[in-house]
């Protein structure tokens, strides 16, 4: 028997002012997307913006459905859109912002497990890390240098 210790290293920024201007502008695109989310059932609005290595920025937001499981998270809407529109581009970074309608969510909201798995697919495919920045509506911003930090013991094609 042995024990495996896994370590996750994240960077916490207390203000957008601490971030480089390209990330501030990526987060503002994510905010714009969050404001356009279609979330009439949960009233929880999520926006994501993806910076690609070809200079393009692709956005996504959560899209809900009266048949609840048919909806999709912001992160997967964005990443599948990027994969569909720019299949050869690599993802450099992703900015995510989320919050409930009636309160100014101030804690950083990380991507859900299913979205982490989807992001992991693209990180493995492109063989370079994806930087992920996530926040609430206000407050701290957390940065992960790679999806591997958010999804230890990743399941990927090497298992198949
Ligand atoms: N949601 C996202 O868009 N991303 C996540 O990572 C977590 C949850 C959405 C799905 C649903 O529309 C609403 O937030 C409440 O779960």
């Amino acid at each position: 028997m042995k024990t495996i210790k896994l370590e996750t290293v994240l960077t916490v920024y207390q203000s957008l002012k601490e971030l480089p201007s390209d990330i501030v502008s990526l987060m503002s695109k994510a905010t714009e997307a969050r404001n356009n989310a279609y979330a009439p059932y949960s009233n929880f609005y999520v926006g994501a913006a993806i910076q690609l290595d070809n200079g393009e920025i692709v956005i996504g937001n959560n899209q809900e459905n009266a048949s609840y499981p048919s909806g999709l998270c912001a992160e997967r809407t964005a990443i599948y859109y990027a994969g569909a529109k720019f299949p050869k581009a690599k993802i450099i970074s992703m900015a995510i912002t989320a919050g409930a309608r009636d309160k100014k969510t101030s804690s950083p909201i990380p991507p859900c497990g299913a979205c982490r798995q989807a992001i992991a697919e693209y990180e493995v495919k492109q063989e370079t890390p994806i930087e992920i920045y996530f926040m609430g509506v206000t407050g701290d911003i957390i940065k992960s240098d790679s999806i591997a930090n958010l999804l230890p013991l990743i399941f990927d094609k090497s298992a198949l």
Side-chain angles (χ1 to χ4, degrees):
M1 196 273 251
K2 66 174 180 175
T3 307
I4 304 171
K5 194 173 172 197
L6 302 168
E7 192 179 53
T8 294
V9 179
L10 301 168
T11 312
V12 182
Y13 299 89
Q14 286 174 303
S15 158
L16 283 166
K17 289 186 196 128
E18 294 174 26
L19 290 163
S21 63
D22 56 329
I23 301 302
V24 175
S25 114
L26 195 65
M27 192 57 89
S28 102
K29 294 258 182 341
T31 301
E32 210 177 305
R34 191 192 73 225
N35 289 330
N36 290 327
Y38 177 59
Y41 303 106
S42 71
N43 291 315
F44 190 74
Y45 296 81
V46 189
I50 291 175
Q51 177 68 61
L52 298 172
D53 70 347
N54 63 3
E56 298 279 351
I57 290 176
V58 169
I59 58 103
N61 47 28
N62 49 331
Q63 296 294 322
E64 297 189 349
N65 194 285
S67 170
Y68 292 0
S70 300
L72 194 65
C73 290
E75 297 89 329
R76 275 176 289 162
T77 302
I79 210 160
Y80 293 152
Y81 177 26
K85 190 146 193 224
F86 302 107
K88 295 204 173 82
K90 287 188 178 186
I91 297 167
I92 297 171
S93 52
M94 184 167 197
I96 304 160
T97 166
R101 188 180 56 183
D102 298 328
K103 55 175 192 185
K104 277 232 178 289
T105 303
S106 60
S107 57
I109 307 295
C112 77
C115 288
R116 293 179 205 198
Q117 182 67 29
I119 297 166
E121 181 68 27
Y122 292 88
E123 187 169 291
V124 169
K125 176 185 165 219
Q126 69 184 33
E127 297 178 329
T128 53
I130 298 173
E131 286 182 357
I132 301 160
Y133 296 82
F134 56 92
M135 66 181 296
V137 171
T138 59
D140 291 355
I141 305 104
I142 292 185
K143 177 193 179 194
S144 173
D145 290 333
S146 155
I147 193 64
N149 288 323
L150 299 178
L151 192 66
L153 300 180
I154 192 172
F155 176 84
D156 66 16
K157 62 183 179 182
S158 66
L160 301 177

